[in-house]
Amino acid sequence: TENNLHGKLPEDLKYMTNLVQLILSKNFIQGQIPAGLFSNFQSMNTLYLDENYLNGQVPDELGHLLLLRNLDLHDNSLRGTIPNAFNILTDLVDVRLQ
């Protein structure tokens, strides 16, 4: 949080498949969430990308993070609908998308 990070989400994050939490809140990360970036994160339970400059849509693959409990994407420029894949996230307890 608040690390003054700039630029786009690095696509090489997809190789860090054992990540349990990714918290990049309150930075200057911009652009879209790259397709496939989170598709292999089987253990992730917390994803905070709030208060950045992300745009585009919320990727469907976030709905495949079956252990996800906390998701915060608020204060970005994301648009569109919540992916239907979110219906299977039975452990999800805290969601902020505004």
Side-chain angles (χ1 to χ4, degrees):
T1 302
E2 294 188 72
N3 292 308
N4 203 25
L5 298 174
H6 290 259
K8 297 182 178 187
L9 283 170
E11 292 193 33
D12 286 344
L13 278 175
K14 67 184 172 190
Y15 300 115
M16 303 175 85
T17 57
N18 292 322
L19 275 180
V20 175
Q21 297 183 343
L22 181 60
I23 301 172
L24 295 172
S25 304
K26 298 180 183 179
N27 283 289
F28 300 92
I29 299 169
Q30 61 190 20
Q32 296 184 4
I33 299 172
L37 185 64
F38 295 105
S39 59
N40 294 319
F41 287 74
Q42 304 302 316
S43 301
M44 182 168 284
N45 64 38
T46 299
L47 178 60
Y48 291 165
L49 298 174
D50 56 290
E51 297 186 44
N52 280 289
Y53 296 89
L54 296 171
N55 58 44
Q57 296 187 325
V58 176
D60 286 339
E61 69 197 45
L62 293 183
H64 298 272
L65 301 174
L66 298 179
L67 298 179
L68 195 63
R69 294 181 54 81
N70 306 293
L71 175 64
D72 194 342
L73 301 175
H74 85 276
D75 281 349
N76 282 291
S77 295
L78 297 167
R79 58 177 161 57
T81 59
I82 297 171
N84 288 334
F86 277 43
N87 291 334
I88 61 172
L89 296 177
T90 58
D91 288 341
L92 199 56
V93 294
D94 185 26
V95 180
R96 294 185 68 194
L97 301 174
Q98 74 267 28

